[in-house]
Amino acid sequence: MRSYGQYCSVAKALDVVGDRWTLLIIRELLTQGPCRYTDLKNGLPGIATNLLSERLRDLESAGLIQRTEAPPPIATSLFGLTEAGAELEPVLSSLGGWGLRYMTGPDDGDEFRSHWFVFPVSLFLRDRDPGGPPVAIELRTPPGTGRPAVIEISGGAVRTRLGTAAAPDLVLTGTPKLILGLLSAYLTVPEARDLGLEISGDAGVLRRVQPDSAGQPLLASGTLRA
């Protein structure tokens, strides 16, 4: 781990988390919880095996992650965040919000994993009817991008998790960009359908969580064609 050699809190923080891939490892552990090595490798497409091992050792030495031995049937090491590592969540959220402006179009070859919905969804969805009944929106992306994700809205809170809903109120099936375009209110339901998003169930539940207007420089409808 290289150091900037500066007596400054920003420099000291970057000494620990400023290397390439480091904050993305933190992202994986924030969104997935404790992970096996193979789970981390799958969530970090493009990282070399030896580099992932090196970054994990560095983060463990810095006190940001800890390794535990899981009993059968897992029977392998699990990597999880320490309290200090979990304190990076608002840092990642702020960085993700700032980075939305650069998501106007996926570059050729950009990878996606369904658990990555957590950060953008948490930035612009709010429960506008806290007294209303619980509702669930299931998000299904193309094969190879991971399991479906579910947005659960209840009691003023909006939560995202991996998996399926027993009886989803709404199911959105398509590319991540079209799904985010609809959720963030850059696209109307008819526009999203015209662009290829499959929408089944009660689309009216979107009004409960969508922002009043598309206020983020994220997914202008004119750039949504993939």
Side-chain angles (χ1 to χ4, degrees):
M1 187 181 298
R2 292 175 290 183
S3 172
Y4 286 100
Q6 298 178 11
Y7 189 62
C8 161
S9 61
V10 174
K12 292 298 184 186
L14 290 174
D15 284 348
V16 178
V17 299
D19 283 333
R20 190 166 184 253
W21 294 105
T22 297
L23 284 177
L24 294 184
I25 293 172
I26 301 295
R27 177 200 67 191
E28 292 302 298
L29 296 176
L30 282 170
T31 55
Q32 298 197 70
C35 289
R36 300 172 299 175
Y37 182 90
T38 52
D39 297 329
L40 287 171
K41 187 75 167 61
N42 182 61
L44 296 163
I47 192 170
T49 300
N50 62 332
L51 184 55
L52 176 56
S53 298
E54 179 184 330
R55 292 290 185 266
L56 289 172
R57 286 194 299 269
D58 289 343
L59 288 168
E60 199 170 1
S61 297
L64 299 186
I65 67 171
Q66 56 192 357
R67 187 190 314 234
T68 58
E69 299 302 320
I74 299 176
T76 189
S77 295
L78 290 178
F79 297 92
L81 293 172
T82 63
E83 184 177 348
E87 288 174 358
L88 286 166
E89 182 170 8
V91 176
L92 268 291
S93 293
S94 294
L95 192 60
W98 181 83
L100 286 174
R101 71 195 70 203
Y102 300 109
M103 290 181 67
T104 54
D107 293 332
D108 290 342
D110 268 0
E111 297 274 0
F112 180 79
R113 299 292 183 267
S114 54
H115 60 274
W116 297 349
F117 275 124
V118 170
F119 279 108
V121 163
S122 68
L123 289 169
F124 51 73
L125 295 191
R126 298 290 182 271
D127 185 358
R128 296 155 58 90
D129 183 16
V135 296
I137 303 172
E138 189 167 304
L139 313 178
R140 301 174 183 172
T141 51
T145 58
R147 292 184 291 156
V150 178
I151 301 171
E152 297 173 324
I153 304 102
S154 176
V158 178
R159 301 177 183 87
T160 306
R161 63 170 176 82
L162 286 180
T164 59
D169 299 276
L170 176 66
V171 178
L172 305 178
T173 305
T175 65
K177 189 162 188 181
L178 288 178
I179 289 173
L180 288 174
L182 179 60
L183 291 175
S184 63
Y186 269 99
L187 292 176
T188 64
V189 169
E191 287 171 339
R193 281 199 171 109
D194 287 345
L195 289 169
L197 188 67
E198 295 180 24
I199 301 169
S200 60
D202 181 10
V205 303
L206 290 168
R207 292 192 294 272
R208 180 164 168 179
V209 292
Q210 284 176 320
D212 290 327
S213 60
Q216 295 283 355
L218 171 57
L219 297 163
S221 56
T223 66
L224 278 165
R225 298 184 186 276

PDB file of all heavy atoms in Angstrom, residues 185-219:
ATOM      1  N   ALA A 185     -38.139   8.461 -13.217  1.00  0.00           N
ATOM      2  CA  ALA A 185     -39.144   9.330 -13.849  1.00  0.00           C
ATOM      3  C   ALA A 185     -38.624  10.055 -15.076  1.00  0.00           C
ATOM      4  O   ALA A 185     -39.247  10.998 -15.547  1.00  0.00           O
ATOM      5  CB  ALA A 185     -39.720  10.337 -12.851  1.00  0.00           C
ATOM      6  N   TYR A 186     -37.493   9.618 -15.636  1.00  0.00           N
ATOM      7  CA  TYR A 186     -37.063  10.175 -16.921  1.00  0.00           C
ATOM      8  C   TYR A 186     -37.892   9.609 -18.059  1.00  0.00           C
ATOM      9  O   TYR A 186     -37.989  10.202 -19.123  1.00  0.00           O
ATOM     10  CB  TYR A 186     -35.575   9.894 -17.165  1.00  0.00           C
ATOM     11  CG  TYR A 186     -34.699  11.001 -16.656  1.00  0.00           C
ATOM     12  CD1 TYR A 186     -34.061  10.882 -15.435  1.00  0.00           C
ATOM     13  CD2 TYR A 186     -34.521  12.170 -17.381  1.00  0.00           C
ATOM     14  CE1 TYR A 186     -33.260  11.892 -14.950  1.00  0.00           C
ATOM     15  CE2 TYR A 186     -33.724  13.192 -16.906  1.00  0.00           C
ATOM     16  CZ  TYR A 186     -33.095  13.056 -15.690  1.00  0.00           C
ATOM     17  OH  TYR A 186     -32.309  14.062 -15.201  1.00  0.00           O
ATOM     18  N   LEU A 187     -38.460   8.427 -17.839  1.00  0.00           N
ATOM     19  CA  LEU A 187     -39.320   7.803 -18.834  1.00  0.00           C
ATOM     20  C   LEU A 187     -40.705   7.613 -18.257  1.00  0.00           C
ATOM     21  O   LEU A 187     -40.858   7.271 -17.081  1.00  0.00           O
ATOM     22  CB  LEU A 187     -38.768   6.434 -19.246  1.00  0.00           C
ATOM     23  CG  LEU A 187     -37.460   6.387 -20.028  1.00  0.00           C
ATOM     24  CD1 LEU A 187     -37.052   4.939 -20.245  1.00  0.00           C
ATOM     25  CD2 LEU A 187     -37.593   7.110 -21.359  1.00  0.00           C
ATOM     26  N   THR A 188     -41.721   7.803 -19.086  1.00  0.00           N
ATOM     27  CA  THR A 188     -43.070   7.416 -18.713  1.00  0.00           C
ATOM     28  C   THR A 188     -43.229   5.925 -19.001  1.00  0.00           C
ATOM     29  O   THR A 188     -42.389   5.312 -19.692  1.00  0.00           O
ATOM     30  CB  THR A 188     -44.107   8.203 -19.516  1.00  0.00           C
ATOM     31  OG1 THR A 188     -43.970   7.852 -20.911  1.00  0.00           O
ATOM     32  CG2 THR A 188     -43.924   9.706 -19.337  1.00  0.00           C
ATOM     33  N   VAL A 189     -44.293   5.345 -18.502  1.00  0.00           N
ATOM     34  CA  VAL A 189     -44.540   3.930 -18.759  1.00  0.00           C
ATOM     35  C   VAL A 189     -44.655   3.660 -20.262  1.00  0.00           C
ATOM     36  O   VAL A 189     -44.017   2.730 -20.781  1.00  0.00           O
ATOM     37  CB  VAL A 189     -45.788   3.443 -17.992  1.00  0.00           C
ATOM     38  CG1 VAL A 189     -46.205   2.057 -18.456  1.00  0.00           C
ATOM     39  CG2 VAL A 189     -45.503   3.435 -16.488  1.00  0.00           C
ATOM     40  N   PRO A 190     -45.445   4.444 -21.036  1.00  0.00           N
ATOM     41  CA  PRO A 190     -45.510   4.184 -22.484  1.00  0.00           C
ATOM     42  C   PRO A 190     -44.143   4.321 -23.162  1.00  0.00           C
ATOM     43  O   PRO A 190     -43.810   3.524 -24.055  1.00  0.00           O
ATOM     44  CB  PRO A 190     -46.498   5.234 -22.994  1.00  0.00           C
ATOM     45  CG  PRO A 190     -47.356   5.558 -21.805  1.00  0.00           C
ATOM     46  CD  PRO A 190     -46.422   5.493 -20.634  1.00  0.00           C
ATOM     47  N   GLU A 191     -43.352   5.329 -22.780  1.00  0.00           N
ATOM     48  CA  GLU A 191     -42.029   5.498 -23.388  1.00  0.00           C
ATOM     49  C   GLU A 191     -41.134   4.307 -23.087  1.00  0.00           C
ATOM     50  O   GLU A 191     -40.409   3.811 -23.965  1.00  0.00           O
ATOM     51  CB  GLU A 191     -41.381   6.783 -22.862  1.00  0.00           C
ATOM     52  CG  GLU A 191     -41.994   8.062 -23.405  1.00  0.00           C
ATOM     53  CD  GLU A 191     -41.469   9.300 -22.709  1.00  0.00           C
ATOM     54  OE1 GLU A 191     -40.950   9.192 -21.573  1.00  0.00           O
ATOM     55  OE2 GLU A 191     -41.592  10.389 -23.299  1.00  0.00           O
ATOM     56  N   ALA A 192     -41.157   3.837 -21.843  1.00  0.00           N
ATOM     57  CA  ALA A 192     -40.319   2.698 -21.466  1.00  0.00           C
ATOM     58  C   ALA A 192     -40.728   1.447 -22.239  1.00  0.00           C
ATOM     59  O   ALA A 192     -39.877   0.683 -22.705  1.00  0.00           O
ATOM     60  CB  ALA A 192     -40.412   2.456 -19.962  1.00  0.00           C
ATOM     61  N   ARG A 193     -42.034   1.257 -22.383  1.00  0.00           N
ATOM     62  CA  ARG A 193     -42.510   0.100 -23.156  1.00  0.00           C
ATOM     63  C   ARG A 193     -42.061   0.194 -24.613  1.00  0.00           C
ATOM     64  O   ARG A 193     -41.631  -0.794 -25.213  1.00  0.00           O
ATOM     65  CB  ARG A 193     -44.033   0.017 -23.081  1.00  0.00           C
ATOM     66  CG  ARG A 193     -44.563  -0.592 -21.784  1.00  0.00           C
ATOM     67  CD  ARG A 193     -45.998  -1.056 -21.962  1.00  0.00           C
ATOM     68  NE  ARG A 193     -46.457  -1.830 -20.821  1.00  0.00           N
ATOM     69  CZ  ARG A 193     -47.346  -1.399 -19.932  1.00  0.00           C
ATOM     70  NH1 ARG A 193     -47.883  -0.194 -20.069  1.00  0.00           N
ATOM     71  NH2 ARG A 193     -47.712  -2.160 -18.915  1.00  0.00           N
ATOM     72  N   ASP A 194     -42.150   1.387 -25.190  1.00  0.00           N
ATOM     73  CA  ASP A 194     -41.742   1.569 -26.581  1.00  0.00           C
ATOM     74  C   ASP A 194     -40.265   1.256 -26.780  1.00  0.00           C
ATOM     75  O   ASP A 194     -39.848   0.808 -27.857  1.00  0.00           O
ATOM     76  CB  ASP A 194     -42.019   3.007 -27.035  1.00  0.00           C
ATOM     77  CG  ASP A 194     -43.511   3.281 -27.252  1.00  0.00           C
ATOM     78  OD1 ASP A 194     -44.282   2.298 -27.329  1.00  0.00           O
ATOM     79  OD2 ASP A 194     -43.886   4.466 -27.336  1.00  0.00           O
ATOM     80  N   LEU A 195     -39.468   1.502 -25.740  1.00  0.00           N
ATOM     81  CA  LEU A 195     -38.022   1.249 -25.820  1.00  0.00           C
ATOM     82  C   LEU A 195     -37.657  -0.196 -25.492  1.00  0.00           C
ATOM     83  O   LEU A 195     -36.489  -0.570 -25.563  1.00  0.00           O
ATOM     84  CB  LEU A 195     -37.270   2.197 -24.885  1.00  0.00           C
ATOM     85  CG  LEU A 195     -37.248   3.661 -25.324  1.00  0.00           C
ATOM     86  CD1 LEU A 195     -36.726   4.556 -24.216  1.00  0.00           C
ATOM     87  CD2 LEU A 195     -36.392   3.823 -26.586  1.00  0.00           C
ATOM     88  N   GLY A 196     -38.653  -1.002 -25.129  1.00  0.00           N
ATOM     89  CA  GLY A 196     -38.390  -2.420 -24.933  1.00  0.00           C
ATOM     90  C   GLY A 196     -38.499  -2.932 -23.521  1.00  0.00           C
ATOM     91  O   GLY A 196     -38.238  -4.121 -23.272  1.00  0.00           O
ATOM     92  N   LEU A 197     -38.868  -2.096 -22.562  1.00  0.00           N
ATOM     93  CA  LEU A 197     -39.013  -2.567 -21.190  1.00  0.00           C
ATOM     94  C   LEU A 197     -40.331  -3.322 -21.037  1.00  0.00           C
ATOM     95  O   LEU A 197     -41.384  -2.828 -21.434  1.00  0.00           O
ATOM     96  CB  LEU A 197     -38.978  -1.384 -20.213  1.00  0.00           C
ATOM     97  CG  LEU A 197     -38.934  -1.743 -18.721  1.00  0.00           C
ATOM     98  CD1 LEU A 197     -37.612  -2.418 -18.373  1.00  0.00           C
ATOM     99  CD2 LEU A 197     -39.123  -0.499 -17.856  1.00  0.00           C
ATOM    100  N   GLU A 198     -40.259  -4.511 -20.461  1.00  0.00           N
ATOM    101  CA  GLU A 198     -41.474  -5.281 -20.190  1.00  0.00           C
ATOM    102  C   GLU A 198     -41.997  -4.878 -18.812  1.00  0.00           C
ATOM    103  O   GLU A 198     -41.263  -4.904 -17.824  1.00  0.00           O
ATOM    104  CB  GLU A 198     -41.175  -6.777 -20.220  1.00  0.00           C
ATOM    105  CG  GLU A 198     -40.747  -7.292 -21.592  1.00  0.00           C
ATOM    106  CD  GLU A 198     -40.452  -8.773 -21.576  1.00  0.00           C
ATOM    107  OE1 GLU A 198     -40.994  -9.483 -20.694  1.00  0.00           O
ATOM    108  OE2 GLU A 198     -39.663  -9.226 -22.416  1.00  0.00           O
ATOM    109  N   ILE A 199     -43.255  -4.499 -18.758  1.00  0.00           N
ATOM    110  CA  ILE A 199     -43.873  -4.013 -17.523  1.00  0.00           C
ATOM    111  C   ILE A 199     -45.132  -4.825 -17.275  1.00  0.00           C
ATOM    112  O   ILE A 199     -46.052  -4.830 -18.097  1.00  0.00           O
ATOM    113  CB  ILE A 199     -44.229  -2.514 -17.641  1.00  0.00           C
ATOM    114  CG1 ILE A 199     -42.967  -1.705 -17.932  1.00  0.00           C
ATOM    115  CG2 ILE A 199     -44.909  -2.016 -16.368  1.00  0.00           C
ATOM    116  CD1 ILE A 199     -43.243  -0.260 -18.318  1.00  0.00           C
ATOM    117  N   SER A 200     -45.159  -5.529 -16.148  1.00  0.00           N
ATOM    118  CA  SER A 200     -46.343  -6.310 -15.813  1.00  0.00           C
ATOM    119  C   SER A 200     -46.747  -6.020 -14.370  1.00  0.00           C
ATOM    120  O   SER A 200     -45.899  -5.790 -13.513  1.00  0.00           O
ATOM    121  CB  SER A 200     -46.086  -7.808 -16.009  1.00  0.00           C
ATOM    122  OG  SER A 200     -45.030  -8.253 -15.185  1.00  0.00           O
ATOM    123  N   GLY A 201     -48.040  -6.027 -14.132  1.00  0.00           N
ATOM    124  CA  GLY A 201     -48.536  -5.703 -12.801  1.00  0.00           C
ATOM    125  C   GLY A 201     -49.096  -4.292 -12.762  1.00  0.00           C
ATOM    126  O   GLY A 201     -49.465  -3.713 -13.780  1.00  0.00           O
ATOM    127  N   ASP A 202     -49.137  -3.722 -11.568  1.00  0.00           N
ATOM    128  CA  ASP A 202     -49.731  -2.407 -11.341  1.00  0.00           C
ATOM    129  C   ASP A 202     -48.684  -1.307 -11.468  1.00  0.00           C
ATOM    130  O   ASP A 202     -47.961  -1.012 -10.514  1.00  0.00           O
ATOM    131  CB  ASP A 202     -50.376  -2.377  -9.955  1.00  0.00           C
ATOM    132  CG  ASP A 202     -51.043  -1.041  -9.649  1.00  0.00           C
ATOM    133  OD1 ASP A 202     -51.173  -0.211 -10.578  1.00  0.00           O
ATOM    134  OD2 ASP A 202     -51.422  -0.833  -8.483  1.00  0.00           O
ATOM    135  N   ALA A 203     -48.595  -0.699 -12.648  1.00  0.00           N
ATOM    136  CA  ALA A 203     -47.623   0.380 -12.861  1.00  0.00           C
ATOM    137  C   ALA A 203     -47.933   1.601 -12.005  1.00  0.00           C
ATOM    138  O   ALA A 203     -47.079   2.478 -11.822  1.00  0.00           O
ATOM    139  CB  ALA A 203     -47.573   0.766 -14.330  1.00  0.00           C
ATOM    140  N   GLY A 204     -49.138   1.674 -11.448  1.00  0.00           N
ATOM    141  CA  GLY A 204     -49.496   2.803 -10.604  1.00  0.00           C
ATOM    142  C   GLY A 204     -48.664   2.896  -9.329  1.00  0.00           C
ATOM    143  O   GLY A 204     -48.559   3.973  -8.736  1.00  0.00           O
ATOM    144  N   VAL A 205     -48.052   1.769  -8.912  1.00  0.00           N
ATOM    145  CA  VAL A 205     -47.252   1.817  -7.685  1.00  0.00           C
ATOM    146  C   VAL A 205     -46.011   2.688  -7.872  1.00  0.00           C
ATOM    147  O   VAL A 205     -45.405   3.137  -6.884  1.00  0.00           O
ATOM    148  CB  VAL A 205     -46.843   0.409  -7.211  1.00  0.00           C
ATOM    149  CG1 VAL A 205     -48.052  -0.474  -6.999  1.00  0.00           C
ATOM    150  CG2 VAL A 205     -45.861  -0.250  -8.178  1.00  0.00           C
ATOM    151  N   LEU A 206     -45.634   2.943  -9.127  1.00  0.00           N
ATOM    152  CA  LEU A 206     -44.472   3.786  -9.374  1.00  0.00           C
ATOM    153  C   LEU A 206     -44.669   5.192  -8.808  1.00  0.00           C
ATOM    154  O   LEU A 206     -43.718   5.829  -8.341  1.00  0.00           O
ATOM    155  CB  LEU A 206     -44.178   3.875 -10.873  1.00  0.00           C
ATOM    156  CG  LEU A 206     -43.649   2.598 -11.531  1.00  0.00           C
ATOM    157  CD1 LEU A 206     -43.694   2.736 -13.050  1.00  0.00           C
ATOM    158  CD2 LEU A 206     -42.236   2.305 -11.053  1.00  0.00           C
ATOM    159  N   ARG A 207     -45.906   5.672  -8.852  1.00  0.00           N
ATOM    160  CA  ARG A 207     -46.162   7.031  -8.369  1.00  0.00           C
ATOM    161  C   ARG A 207     -45.845   7.181  -6.891  1.00  0.00           C
ATOM    162  O   ARG A 207     -45.590   8.281  -6.409  1.00  0.00           O
ATOM    163  CB  ARG A 207     -47.622   7.406  -8.642  1.00  0.00           C
ATOM    164  CG  ARG A 207     -47.957   7.573 -10.120  1.00  0.00           C
ATOM    165  CD  ARG A 207     -49.323   8.222 -10.320  1.00  0.00           C
ATOM    166  NE  ARG A 207     -50.392   7.361  -9.843  1.00  0.00           N
ATOM    167  CZ  ARG A 207     -50.996   6.433 -10.587  1.00  0.00           C
ATOM    168  NH1 ARG A 207     -50.604   6.244 -11.844  1.00  0.00           N
ATOM    169  NH2 ARG A 207     -51.981   5.694 -10.097  1.00  0.00           N
ATOM    170  N   ARG A 208     -45.872   6.070  -6.180  1.00  0.00           N
ATOM    171  CA  ARG A 208     -45.584   6.125  -4.738  1.00  0.00           C
ATOM    172  C   ARG A 208     -44.117   6.396  -4.454  1.00  0.00           C
ATOM    173  O   ARG A 208     -43.776   6.944  -3.411  1.00  0.00           O
ATOM    174  CB  ARG A 208     -46.019   4.813  -4.087  1.00  0.00           C
ATOM    175  CG  ARG A 208     -45.766   4.764  -2.585  1.00  0.00           C
ATOM    176  CD  ARG A 208     -46.532   3.650  -1.938  1.00  0.00           C
ATOM    177  NE  ARG A 208     -46.096   3.419  -0.565  1.00  0.00           N
ATOM    178  CZ  ARG A 208     -46.614   2.505   0.233  1.00  0.00           C
ATOM    179  NH1 ARG A 208     -47.594   1.731  -0.208  1.00  0.00           N
ATOM    180  NH2 ARG A 208     -46.161   2.352   1.460  1.00  0.00           N
ATOM    181  N   VAL A 209     -43.225   5.986  -5.353  1.00  0.00           N
ATOM    182  CA  VAL A 209     -41.793   6.086  -5.060  1.00  0.00           C
ATOM    183  C   VAL A 209     -41.022   7.010  -5.995  1.00  0.00           C
ATOM    184  O   VAL A 209     -39.909   7.435  -5.667  1.00  0.00           O
ATOM    185  CB  VAL A 209     -41.131   4.691  -5.082  1.00  0.00           C
ATOM    186  CG1 VAL A 209     -41.623   3.852  -3.925  1.00  0.00           C
ATOM    187  CG2 VAL A 209     -41.373   3.981  -6.414  1.00  0.00           C
ATOM    188  N   GLN A 210     -41.568   7.299  -7.165  1.00  0.00           N
ATOM    189  CA  GLN A 210     -40.823   8.124  -8.115  1.00  0.00           C
ATOM    190  C   GLN A 210     -40.648   9.555  -7.599  1.00  0.00           C
ATOM    191  O   GLN A 210     -41.504  10.079  -6.872  1.00  0.00           O
ATOM    192  CB  GLN A 210     -41.550   8.183  -9.457  1.00  0.00           C
ATOM    193  CG  GLN A 210     -41.412   6.944 -10.305  1.00  0.00           C
ATOM    194  CD  GLN A 210     -42.247   7.046 -11.561  1.00  0.00           C
ATOM    195  OE1 GLN A 210     -43.374   7.544 -11.536  1.00  0.00           O
ATOM    196  NE2 GLN A 210     -41.708   6.565 -12.679  1.00  0.00           N
ATOM    197  N   PRO A 211     -39.552  10.214  -7.979  1.00  0.00           N
ATOM    198  CA  PRO A 211     -39.404  11.637  -7.655  1.00  0.00           C
ATOM    199  C   PRO A 211     -40.456  12.467  -8.379  1.00  0.00           C
ATOM    200  O   PRO A 211     -41.045  12.025  -9.371  1.00  0.00           O
ATOM    201  CB  PRO A 211     -37.992  11.972  -8.155  1.00  0.00           C
ATOM    202  CG  PRO A 211     -37.676  10.929  -9.168  1.00  0.00           C
ATOM    203  CD  PRO A 211     -38.398   9.685  -8.733  1.00  0.00           C
ATOM    204  N   ASP A 212     -40.709  13.686  -7.866  1.00  0.00           N
ATOM    205  CA  ASP A 212     -41.710  14.552  -8.489  1.00  0.00           C
ATOM    206  C   ASP A 212     -41.374  14.850  -9.941  1.00  0.00           C
ATOM    207  O   ASP A 212     -42.230  14.977 -10.791  1.00  0.00           O
ATOM    208  CB  ASP A 212     -41.823  15.871  -7.717  1.00  0.00           C
ATOM    209  CG  ASP A 212     -42.470  15.659  -6.363  1.00  0.00           C
ATOM    210  OD1 ASP A 212     -43.341  14.783  -6.256  1.00  0.00           O
ATOM    211  OD2 ASP A 212     -42.104  16.366  -5.416  1.00  0.00           O
ATOM    212  N   SER A 213     -40.071  14.987 -10.213  1.00  0.00           N
ATOM    213  CA  SER A 213     -39.616  15.230 -11.583  1.00  0.00           C
ATOM    214  C   SER A 213     -38.242  14.620 -11.724  1.00  0.00           C
ATOM    215  O   SER A 213     -37.584  14.293 -10.742  1.00  0.00           O
ATOM    216  CB  SER A 213     -39.554  16.733 -11.893  1.00  0.00           C
ATOM    217  OG  SER A 213     -38.648  17.380 -11.013  1.00  0.00           O
ATOM    218  N   ALA A 214     -37.826  14.440 -12.945  1.00  0.00           N
ATOM    219  CA  ALA A 214     -36.514  13.835 -13.192  1.00  0.00           C
ATOM    220  C   ALA A 214     -35.436  14.868 -12.922  1.00  0.00           C
ATOM    221  O   ALA A 214     -34.975  15.561 -13.811  1.00  0.00           O
ATOM    222  CB  ALA A 214     -36.439  13.333 -14.635  1.00  0.00           C
ATOM    223  N   GLY A 215     -35.019  14.969 -11.690  1.00  0.00           N
ATOM    224  CA  GLY A 215     -34.107  16.036 -11.308  1.00  0.00           C
ATOM    225  C   GLY A 215     -32.644  15.683 -11.390  1.00  0.00           C
ATOM    226  O   GLY A 215     -31.785  16.541 -11.264  1.00  0.00           O
ATOM    227  N   GLN A 216     -32.318  14.404 -11.593  1.00  0.00           N
ATOM    228  CA  GLN A 216     -30.921  14.011 -11.636  1.00  0.00           C
ATOM    229  C   GLN A 216     -30.422  13.987 -13.082  1.00  0.00           C
ATOM    230  O   GLN A 216     -31.153  13.595 -13.983  1.00  0.00           O
ATOM    231  CB  GLN A 216     -30.743  12.618 -11.020  1.00  0.00           C
ATOM    232  CG  GLN A 216     -31.060  12.553  -9.539  1.00  0.00           C
ATOM    233  CD  GLN A 216     -29.962  13.129  -8.690  1.00  0.00           C
ATOM    234  OE1 GLN A 216     -28.901  13.512  -9.206  1.00  0.00           O
ATOM    235  NE2 GLN A 216     -30.190  13.238  -7.403  1.00  0.00           N
ATOM    236  N   PRO A 217     -29.174  14.381 -13.315  1.00  0.00           N
ATOM    237  CA  PRO A 217     -28.620  14.336 -14.672  1.00  0.00           C
ATOM    238  C   PRO A 217     -28.224  12.923 -15.041  1.00  0.00           C
ATOM    239  O   PRO A 217     -27.103  12.633 -15.382  1.00  0.00           O
ATOM    240  CB  PRO A 217     -27.392  15.237 -14.565  1.00  0.00           C
ATOM    241  CG  PRO A 217     -26.933  15.075 -13.149  1.00  0.00           C
ATOM    242  CD  PRO A 217     -28.179  14.881 -12.334  1.00  0.00           C
ATOM    243  N   LEU A 218     -29.187  11.988 -14.969  1.00  0.00           N
ATOM    244  CA  LEU A 218     -28.836  10.578 -15.072  1.00  0.00           C
ATOM    245  C   LEU A 218     -29.164   9.969 -16.421  1.00  0.00           C
ATOM    246  O   LEU A 218     -28.300   9.577 -17.166  1.00  0.00           O
ATOM    247  CB  LEU A 218     -29.566   9.793 -13.963  1.00  0.00           C
ATOM    248  CG  LEU A 218     -29.523   8.269 -14.001  1.00  0.00           C
ATOM    249  CD1 LEU A 218     -28.108   7.770 -13.991  1.00  0.00           C
ATOM    250  CD2 LEU A 218     -30.319   7.687 -12.850  1.00  0.00           C
ATOM    251  N   LEU A 219     -30.429   9.900 -16.741  1.00  0.00           N
ATOM    252  CA  LEU A 219     -30.831   9.073 -17.855  1.00  0.00           C
ATOM    253  C   LEU A 219     -31.758   9.807 -18.789  1.00  0.00           C
ATOM    254  O   LEU A 219     -32.924   9.467 -18.961  1.00  0.00           O
ATOM    255  CB  LEU A 219     -31.532   7.816 -17.315  1.00  0.00           C
ATOM    256  CG  LEU A 219     -30.656   6.901 -16.446  1.00  0.00           C
ATOM    257  CD1 LEU A 219     -31.514   5.948 -15.653  1.00  0.00           C
ATOM    258  CD2 LEU A 219     -29.693   6.106 -17.310  1.00  0.00           C
TER     259      LEU A 219
END
